[in-house]
Amino acid sequence: MTRLHDADRRDFASDNYAGTHPEILEAIASANGGHQTSYGEDVYTARLQTVLQQHFGPTASAFPVFNGTGANVLSLQSLLPRWGAVICSDTAHIQTDENGAPERIGALKLLTVPTPDGKLTPDLVATQAWGFGDEHRAQPGVVSITQSTELGTLYTPDEIRALADQAHALGMRLHLDGARISNAAAALDLPLRAFTTDAAVDVVSLGGTKNGLLFGEAVVVLTPDADGGLLYLRKMDMQLASKMRFVSAQLVALYEGDLWLRSATHANAMAARLRAGIEHLPGVRVTRPTQANGVFVVFPAGVVEALRRRWRFYDWDVATGEVRLMCSFDTTESDVDELVAAVASEVA
Ligand SMILES: Cc1ncc(COP(=O)(O)O)c(C=O)c1O
């Protein structure tokens, strides 16, 4: 096959614009050859259980899936009865970016809460955690949070623990969308279990793709009795890979050593470098804390258009002109410096 793209071009649109980490490609190649039992009865999926138990504790069980939307919908569906509802931020990926998958595939109701920084608090959850036993209201059964959040912010372990305690006291479960869980752990300088298992999270959507996998995530059940038929739901939700060894091998390669941490630490450092480079430039307004690998900015008039002649990045809020600049495992210092120099020259 002839290469059709410029392999030296990198943008700031999303961490999933990046390709596959070379160590992941090596893992796929190592897992290739010969036959292995399909649908998860392979040695790599077995090894993944051990690897993730080292991170999340001996009772964790992992269900590899194709993508993050699938991991979220499956997690939530497994935690809820047919009449259940999920309390989440109005900026949660499940609300803003999964089309109607939670509602149509999961048949769940989302009860959203406005959150200025993408984070729920017990007080915010309380605005939707009511009506238990009232047949007229979808029954709140899960609180779902994202770590790191869609706005690039972080929960501390204590903040998550408080949400878990509140949820459990009300008979609900706590789900954590960890599409960028590694960025959070790297930024907090904590092991993954410090803000999941040890903070009483029930189920995690464990990220892979954004941190260098070709594709693949996993639903990780931390509370043993929270596995509401995941084995069956995964097939029903079309997330059961027949050649699962290749999804599992990638996740093993990411999480058995320090690749997850190395890559996330690097992506976060590139975001910090970018912020430091632009935040003091005239007219540039960095709108949110840069705690993980995303930088949110409003540029002076005309700058976005000029930058877009070279780079791709997303509008975050068209009304305010806020854009999101995302760094990934393969963003280089010179990528960042080039963007900073372009902003400096545009605002000069
Ligand atoms: C917070 C969050 N959750 C989940 C996902 C996973 O989405 P996908 O279904 O595209 O893998 C994403 C990707 O953008 C995300 O940002």
Side-chain angles (χ1 to χ4, degrees):
M1 188 199 75
T2 313
R3 177 170 268 167
L4 298 175
H5 76 293
D6 175 0
D8 294 321
R9 177 192 169 117
R10 285 176 295 276
D11 293 280
F12 289 87
S14 177
D15 25 16
N16 57 27
Y17 267 49
T20 306
H21 194 287
E23 292 175 42
I24 299 296
L25 285 178
E26 276 171 32
I28 295 172
S30 304
N32 201 19
H35 285 202
Q36 274 286 298
T37 310
S38 50
Y39 297 110
E41 296 293 318
D42 62 272
V43 291
Y44 297 97
T45 306
R47 171 84 189 128
L48 180 64
Q49 303 299 326
T50 314
V51 166
L52 293 183
Q53 283 170 0
Q54 280 156 8
H55 284 291
F56 294 103
T59 60
S61 60
F63 297 79
V65 295
F66 291 112
N67 57 34
T69 300
N72 284 340
V73 171
L74 253 179
S75 300
L76 299 174
Q77 217 181 2
S78 74
L79 290 169
L80 284 171
R82 296 251 314 133
W83 49 90
V86 180
I87 300 174
C88 63
S89 164
D90 62 354
T91 53
H93 197 263
I94 53 174
Q95 159 69 6
T96 61
D97 279 303
E98 298 186 359
N99 194 326
E103 294 89 345
R104 291 179 178 177
I105 307 297
L108 324 157
K109 184 165 177 66
L110 300 181
L111 300 170
T112 60
V113 183
T115 54
D117 56 359
K119 288 167 60 178
L120 289 175
T121 62
D123 284 347
L124 291 172
V125 169
T127 65
Q128 288 286 17
W130 54 271
F132 297 99
D134 175 358
E135 73 193 83
H136 299 282
R137 188 155 202 264
Q139 295 293 288
V142 176
V143 174
S144 179
I145 59 172
T146 307
Q147 173 84 320
S148 56
T149 72
E150 291 77 0
L151 300 182
T153 49
L154 295 171
Y155 288 91
T156 65
D158 286 348
E159 287 170 338
I160 295 180
R161 180 82 212 199
L163 289 165
D165 288 347
Q166 178 194 35
H168 295 155
L170 292 168
M172 300 190 292
R173 301 286 197 181
L174 184 63
H175 164 254
L176 186 146
D177 176 348
R180 297 191 180 89
I181 196 170
S182 301
N183 301 92
L188 291 166
D189 193 18
L190 287 172
L192 292 168
R193 66 172 293 152
F195 56 88
T196 54
T197 320
D198 296 348
V201 171
D202 295 291
V203 173
V204 172
S205 296
L206 181 72
T209 313
K210 289 181 174 16
N211 204 15
L213 263 56
L214 175 58
F215 68 90
E217 321 271 309
V219 175
V220 184
V221 181
L222 304 179
T223 309
D225 69 351
D227 168 7
L230 268 167
L231 203 59
Y232 311 102
L233 288 168
R234 181 174 53 178
K235 179 69 182 185
M236 251 176 63
D237 286 355
M238 297 160 280
Q239 287 287 327
L240 181 66
S242 59
K243 294 191 181 179
M244 197 185 293
R245 68 166 132 159
F246 296 105
V247 185
S248 299
Q250 293 180 72
L251 288 163
V252 168
L254 187 64
Y255 286 106
E256 90 179 327
D258 67 349
L259 180 58
W260 64 280
L261 188 57
R262 258 190 287 139
S263 292
T265 302
H266 175 79
N268 291 354
M270 292 303 99
R273 185 182 183 95
L274 176 55
R275 181 187 178 114
I278 60 174
E279 68 183 337
H280 300 300
L281 295 175
V284 173
R285 188 161 60 85
V286 179
T287 48
R288 301 175 192 279
T290 304
Q291 296 181 318
N293 59 328
V295 183
F296 294 76
V297 199
V298 175
F299 287 115
V303 173
V304 165
E305 294 69 23
L307 297 177
R308 283 213 164 112
R309 287 199 276 276
R310 160 61 187 86
W311 291 279
R312 292 193 184 159
F313 49 87
Y314 287 146
D315 288 320
W316 193 255
D317 184 343
V318 178
T320 61
E322 185 181 29
V323 298
R324 186 189 75 171
L325 302 168
M326 212 68 189
C327 297
S328 51
F329 74 86
D330 66 347
T331 304
T332 64
E333 290 186 356
S334 45
D335 292 338
V336 172
D337 296 348
E338 204 190 321
L339 178 62
V340 169
V343 176
S345 114
E346 286 302 323
V347 301

